[in-house]
Amino acid sequence: MRTQKYTQVEAIVAKYKNLASNTEAVKKTEKGFSDFFIPEDFRRIHFVEQLLGRIYLLKTGESINEAVVKEYEEYTRYYIEGLITAEEEIFLVANFDVFVDYALDHLSSLMTLGFDFDEPIEWSQLVPYLLNNRSGRVFIPSSNKGREFVGLGKCDLLVGDGFTNAAIRALACGHNVKKYENEDNRSALWEDLEDDTFDAIIVEMSSGGIDLRDFTVEDCFNACNRIVKDGGEILLCLSKKSVLSDETAFLRQYVGRERTLQTVIQLPSGKILFHFVKQPHNTFVMCDATSLSQRSDERVVDVTAFLKEVEMANMPERDEHPVVRRFSYEELNENILLPFYYLNYTKVGRTVSEVATVESALVLSDECQNVENVVTVNQLSKTFSNGEFNVDSLPNLRTDRLRRLYRVEGPAVVMAVSDKEIAVGYTTDNSLFLVPKNMYVLKPTKGLNVKYLACQLLNPAIQKTIVELVYGKGNAAALTHAWSELIRISMKSLEEQAKVVQEFVLKEYVEQGNDAAMKEKGFKHSIRLRKHALSQNISAFDSLFSSLNYCMQEHKGRIQAKDQLSPVSPMTVGEAMESLKSQLKVICERVEKLSDEQDYGKCEAIEPQEFIEGYEREHHNATFKFSHAWENFEKNSFQRDVFDKKTGKLLFHKGESMNSAWFPKKALEQVFDNIVSNALEHGFTDRNRTDYVIQSSWTTDGLNMVVRVSNNGTPMPADINTDLVMEYGYSTALNERGHGGIGGGEIAEIMHRFGGDVSVISSPGRQFTVTYILRMPLASLY
């Protein structure tokens, strides 16, 4: 909250930073930085740390905490006395709590590196609400600069990682604090802490820090349960993967048995925060806070919005899209502790496990014949109308490497999942085929049409539920073990099922028709823009040609390159000829662009690093430099043959790509051309800057290759809708090359034509201000 005192603190800090940055010593240090070198006195430019260390010493006097002094002395040695007045230092000491709030929000990231546990950054400000501002003895294995205890009553704190800044915050808040020293060679987590001694523990275990490498989620929870008193509270944050996988099977059973769970909150990052109170309850609360992040920082829960949703929990306005609900323990499903499931669960219909058999028996590829057909992710689709496949048209299995597969007899539905979307395919053939282990196979029971099952899985509501039940990223994406018991589909007669399928197809047909009409309208508009730009070029060409003709008449047909075109024009004949040559080239390019079809060739496997590095070599530009988010030694290919640990059989050949996109190379080159062109024309506009960069990176989500292309140029205007940027003809004005917004529309058209997608993110406050996110189908390894 920006009070008058906060503004005064901000002004004093800004004064110190400005004056310090103009000293010769600081300027010398700043010049010492390079891409590969950090000067030894780099702390000289960390002004907030210097000021915080100085004011802490003035505040504590002789009662200093040695650990705080030791960590900050490397900064305070560079503090420059006299840049702010003694009165200003006294003001910061007198308003230490306000100053600490500001300073700890503006520290260098170097101050928080190397923690064993994860910091509760995302949810620390929820702690006072969840713990009801309680006082007592609190254990925090890793602190988020003390934010988690702001607002609590008088506490005796025991803090592990992040102790230094937590101690400073504790001083500002009036808490007592001690440092927890990790014991080496421990056989049990926190075994040096006595049983039943804490009123609360606040711990995040979402990624498993160094301190937890030898301990499971069960070890951590049991340790929390042991050291917290009866009636005490446990705040434990876990990754979605932990919550949906077998890692927390013990926890689901414990909750059903002991009934100590009070609240579960699904955070914006997808992590799950559990609040236990060590006494039995009749009810528990589920909250989906995934949409409640702060506008200024997506990593942090907006506490104001959260509390508003709590107040509105039982109001009619939230019946359709509930965010917070209280449930009785009779409603607990021991297969799942995910808030989204409880808030969106329906009892209508029958579970997938009741109406279909989920294939589970696996065979090894070397037990199969190379004439057998195999489904790959490229045969699946995100739309029902494109999801049917014929077994005879499937590719044959490669038997030169080991794979685990399902052998299936149709009719059947095949599904692949990621943490963002699903893809479905189905066949009505009564034939045998193979399906890779990382997909899901459903054989409908009697009375269920395979087409109906496929279109039900693609129903938006069911599809969203399936995605929420996915944990893991990329090729590791998987559904929670009991997913088929958690998804329900509406059962109808076979006649009604056929009708639903027809309606589904018709709906998709109408949507595709509307999309095609919109694209055609936008494309026609873009053609008009191109024609307009072309006519402008021709007019300029004709005007310049007329000037040359006038000059020739004035010189009686004998002109030289140095001759001036006319008394009113400084342009020479030589300059005019160069301009005509340049404009003729542009006209030819625009005439070529008028065609409405391009032959980009067929889809092929594109290895992302090889493609990006090749593009960078061939498109060197003096205006900017390319960079990519991997080192030369980081290869997207196997550096040796990889063998299965269980069987010893070959899994991957040396040199084989780990991940490839399935896309026409010529089309992807055109997409990159347009992205680079847009950056040059709209982003890299300051001719005085020499640090322009276009950076590329890639990842996979299990179904798609995701390529990010970012630039650090001028941000998009705040009033521009980034969705509209991808439409044909959208532009604030025709640019100097006449593209007039065509580039964005062309990118989207190309991506969609070959089963991909594109979006644009504008990030004005970050180093890379504009990012294109390209999503392309993955090439199958089968």
Side-chain angles (χ1 to χ4, degrees):
M1 184 175 177
R2 294 187 64 85
T3 62
Q4 183 178 355
K5 288 183 179 179
Y6 188 92
T7 304
Q8 289 176 275
V9 166
E10 188 176 36
I12 294 172
V13 175
K15 176 184 175 182
Y16 179 78
K17 289 170 67 176
N18 290 336
L19 293 175
S21 62
N22 285 318
T23 61
E24 291 302 318
V26 169
K27 290 179 180 179
K28 183 178 178 181
T29 301
E30 290 175 337
K31 289 179 180 179
F33 282 89
S34 70
D35 291 341
F36 305 101
F37 180 75
I38 298 176
E40 290 184 6
D41 63 343
F42 69 90
R43 295 179 181 86
R44 191 186 296 276
I45 65 171
H46 292 168
F47 308 120
V48 176
E49 287 84 345
Q50 296 166 21
L51 196 53
L52 181 56
R54 166 72 172 183
I55 301 304
Y56 173 79
L57 291 174
L58 295 177
K59 174 71 175 178
T60 54
E62 295 181 358
S63 58
I64 59 171
N65 186 297
E66 292 294 339
V68 176
V69 174
K70 183 177 180 181
E71 184 158 337
Y72 270 90
E73 65 183 357
E74 290 299 314
Y75 296 93
T76 53
R77 63 184 291 197
Y78 295 112
Y79 179 76
I80 306 172
E81 294 190 42
L83 295 187
I84 61 174
T85 66
E87 290 75 15
E88 287 169 328
E89 286 187 338
I90 292 171
F91 177 85
L92 295 180
V93 172
N95 296 280
F96 189 69
D97 56 338
V98 181
F99 170 63
V100 167
D101 281 344
Y102 177 85
L104 293 183
D105 280 344
H106 294 82
L107 291 181
S108 162
S109 59
L110 291 173
M111 288 293 294
T112 60
L113 296 179
F115 285 3
D116 292 339
F117 278 82
D118 299 302
E119 299 173 78
I121 293 174
E122 191 174 17
W123 52 276
S124 58
Q125 295 181 51
L126 288 177
V127 172
Y129 162 76
L130 294 172
L131 297 185
N132 197 25
N133 306 107
R134 75 176 300 157
S135 57
R137 195 172 182 207
V138 179
F139 178 37
I140 307 172
S142 183
S143 174
N144 176 27
K145 302 171 187 172
R147 288 190 180 94
E148 58 281 327
F149 54 73
V150 174
L152 294 181
K154 180 76 172 180
C155 289
D156 292 316
L157 305 169
L158 182 64
V159 178
D161 291 328
F163 171 78
T164 301
N165 291 324
I168 293 174
R169 180 89 72 176
L171 177 64
C173 296
H175 297 304
N176 299 317
V177 61
K178 290 184 178 180
K179 182 173 176 59
Y180 175 67
E181 301 287 352
N182 294 333
E183 295 288 333
D184 294 330
N185 301 318
R186 296 159 299 160
S187 60
L189 189 61
W190 307 320
E191 63 181 352
D192 53 323
L193 299 178
E194 296 180 4
D195 295 359
D196 305 318
T197 54
F198 291 95
D199 296 286
I201 181 171
I202 302 166
V203 59
E204 172 145 349
M205 194 184 173
S206 60
S207 64
I210 299 171
D211 195 61
L212 294 174
R213 62 181 178 268
D214 297 325
F215 301 107
T216 65
V217 175
E218 186 170 5
D219 292 332
C220 183
F221 179 76
N222 288 340
C224 292
N225 224 8
R226 178 181 63 79
I227 64 178
V228 171
K229 303 173 182 177
D230 286 341
E233 302 180 65
I234 300 170
L235 291 178
L236 174 63
C237 186
L238 301 174
S239 68
K240 187 178 180 183
K241 177 181 179 181
S242 293
V243 173
L244 291 180
S245 69
D246 291 338
E247 287 182 60
T248 50
F250 81 93
L251 189 62
R252 296 191 288 270
Q253 296 170 5
Y254 174 89
V255 169
R257 182 177 68 251
E258 301 296 331
R259 297 192 172 195
T260 60
L261 180 65
Q262 180 161 299
T263 308
V264 185
I265 302 173
Q266 196 164 351
L267 301 168
S269 65
K271 299 174 186 176
I272 315 298
L273 175 61
F274 292 92
H275 180 201
F276 292 90
V277 179
K278 287 185 65 176
Q279 59 188 32
H281 303 287
N282 294 321
T283 62
F284 59 93
V285 173
M286 288 286 175
C287 173
D288 182 358
T290 52
S291 62
L292 302 181
S293 59
Q294 292 182 3
R295 290 185 179 181
S296 58
D297 190 345
E298 295 177 354
R299 303 178 306 163
V300 180
V301 175
D302 186 329
V303 177
T304 302
F306 174 83
L307 295 178
K308 182 178 179 181
E309 290 296 339
V310 171
E311 292 175 2
M312 298 183 67
N314 297 313
M315 295 185 180
E317 297 95 307
R318 288 294 183 267
D319 286 345
E320 189 173 345
H321 301 290
V323 175
V324 182
R325 280 286 185 274
R326 184 174 293 277
F327 297 88
S328 69
Y329 265 91
E330 282 65 38
E331 297 174 273
L332 178 73
N333 185 331
E334 291 190 15
N335 285 317
I336 189 86
L337 289 175
L338 191 72
F340 177 89
Y341 172 79
Y342 285 87
L343 295 169
N344 296 277
Y345 175 72
T346 175
K347 294 183 179 180
V348 176
R350 298 171 65 186
T351 65
V352 168
S353 61
E354 291 175 324
V355 298
T357 301
V358 180
E359 205 60 57
S360 59
L362 292 166
V363 297
L364 297 178
S365 55
D366 59 0
E367 300 170 5
C368 305
Q369 302 296 317
N370 58 9
V371 294
E372 291 189 72
N373 304 102
V374 59
V375 171
T376 73
V377 69
N378 303 122
Q379 277 79 52
L380 309 185
S381 175
K382 296 154 196 170
T383 60
F384 174 76
S385 53
N386 294 323
E388 186 172 12
F389 60 85
N390 296 316
V391 173
D392 291 340
S393 64
L394 296 175
N396 294 130
L397 176 69
R398 288 181 58 178
T399 55
D400 62 336
R401 52 197 178 173
L402 185 71
R403 293 289 184 269
R404 289 177 170 81
L405 310 114
Y406 303 110
R407 182 179 274 129
V408 184
E409 183 177 5
V413 174
V414 180
M415 178 174 67
V417 302
S418 77
D419 63 333
K420 296 287 190 299
E421 57 190 353
I422 70 170
V424 170
Y426 68 91
T427 182
T428 57
D429 298 346
N430 294 304
S431 304
L432 285 172
F433 61 97
L434 300 168
V435 180
K437 180 190 174 184
N438 62 339
M439 299 183 189
Y440 298 86
V441 182
L442 291 81
K443 285 181 60 63
T445 56
K446 187 176 181 180
L448 182 63
N449 185 315
V450 69
K451 293 186 177 183
Y452 178 76
L453 176 58
C455 73
Q456 285 297 291
L457 293 175
L458 287 168
N459 177 289
I462 294 177
Q463 189 173 170
K464 181 171 175 59
T465 303
I466 293 173
V467 168
E468 286 293 332
L469 297 179
V470 172
Y471 64 89
K473 301 283 186 180
N475 295 329
L479 281 164
T480 185
H481 72 290
W483 73 272
S484 62
E485 299 171 28
L486 302 173
I487 303 294
R488 289 180 173 267
I489 63 174
S490 176
M491 281 301 294
K492 302 177 182 294
S493 67
L494 287 172
E495 184 178 333
E496 289 175 314
Q497 289 177 35
K499 185 178 179 182
V500 169
V501 171
Q502 289 177 345
E503 291 173 350
F504 204 89
V505 171
L506 180 61
K507 181 182 177 183
E508 283 193 348
Y509 178 78
V510 171
E511 289 174 351
Q512 291 168 5
N514 291 337
D515 288 343
M518 288 293 292
K519 289 177 183 177
E520 182 180 4
K521 181 180 178 181
F523 187 78
K524 287 179 178 178
H525 179 56
S526 74
I527 291 295
R528 286 197 296 272
L529 287 173
R530 284 175 171 150
K531 286 181 177 179
H532 177 64
L534 184 58
S535 67
Q536 287 181 320
N537 279 118
I538 293 173
S539 296
F541 190 95
D542 182 62
S543 176
L544 194 54
F545 191 81
S546 297
S547 297
L548 273 171
N549 189 43
Y550 170 82
C551 183
M552 183 176 288
Q553 290 174 4
E554 287 294 305
H555 290 78
K556 302 185 186 307
R558 301 175 68 86
I559 57 175
Q560 299 181 43
K562 64 181 181 180
D563 291 338
Q564 190 171 320
L565 284 185
S566 71
V568 296
S569 173
M571 182 179 283
T572 65
V573 170
E575 291 170 341
M577 294 300 292
E578 285 298 317
S579 179
L580 284 173
K581 182 180 177 181
S582 174
Q583 289 191 35
L584 185 60
K585 181 181 178 182
V586 172
I587 289 172
C588 291
E589 289 176 353
R590 288 179 177 167
V591 168
E592 185 180 355
K593 285 279 187 180
L594 285 175
S595 62
D596 58 0
E597 277 297 330
Q598 293 261 6
D599 180 14
Y600 293 113
K602 295 182 178 180
C603 290
E604 58 185 296
I606 298 176
E607 197 284 305
Q609 292 183 191
E610 183 180 308
F611 172 85
I612 291 169
E613 289 173 2
Y615 185 91
E616 291 173 353
R617 285 192 300 270
E618 295 172 9
H619 294 79
H620 177 75
N621 192 293
T623 304
F624 66 92
K625 69 176 183 179
F626 285 109
S627 73
H628 45 254
W630 61 87
E631 301 294 338
N632 292 332
F633 61 83
E634 295 179 289
K635 303 295 184 183
N636 178 37
S637 60
F638 297 98
Q639 301 304 295
R640 55 184 174 78
D641 290 344
V642 179
F643 298 90
D644 182 61
K645 291 182 179 180
K646 291 183 178 179
T647 64
K649 296 176 180 177
L650 182 70
L651 288 172
F652 298 99
H653 293 283
K654 178 181 177 181
E656 190 172 14
S657 295
M658 297 178 185
N659 300 281
S660 296
W662 189 246
F663 210 78
K665 186 176 180 181
K666 186 177 177 182
L668 189 55
E669 287 173 345
Q670 182 63 56
V671 167
F672 267 66
D673 283 348
N674 285 7
I675 291 173
V676 171
S677 176
N678 282 346
L680 283 168
E681 293 168 12
H682 302 295
F684 302 161
T685 54
D686 185 349
R687 301 306 174 197
N688 294 319
R689 282 184 61 178
T690 59
D691 63 340
Y692 285 128
V693 176
I694 292 180
Q695 184 183 73
S696 300
S697 63
W698 68 272
T699 186
T700 67
D701 65 9
L703 291 179
N704 302 284
M705 173 71 65
V706 183
V707 176
R708 300 170 69 94
V709 186
S710 307
N711 73 69
N712 64 343
T714 305
M716 292 182 180
D719 60 343
I720 283 186
N721 185 330
T722 54
D723 292 333
L724 293 178
V725 171
M726 290 293 101
E727 293 187 6
Y728 267 120
Y730 179 82
S731 181
T732 53
L734 280 173
N735 60 54
E736 62 184 15
R737 292 192 181 179
H739 285 181
I742 295 166
E746 189 169 55
I747 292 170
E749 192 273 329
I750 293 172
M751 296 303 297
H752 294 156
R753 187 193 301 187
F754 299 105
D757 198 6
V758 60
S759 58
V760 181
I761 297 176
S762 179
S763 309
R766 299 188 178 180
Q767 178 187 2
F768 290 97
T769 54
V770 177
T771 300
Y772 290 81
I773 302 176
L774 309 174
R775 301 170 71 86
M776 295 165 281
L778 277 175
S780 174
L781 291 176
Y782 296 85

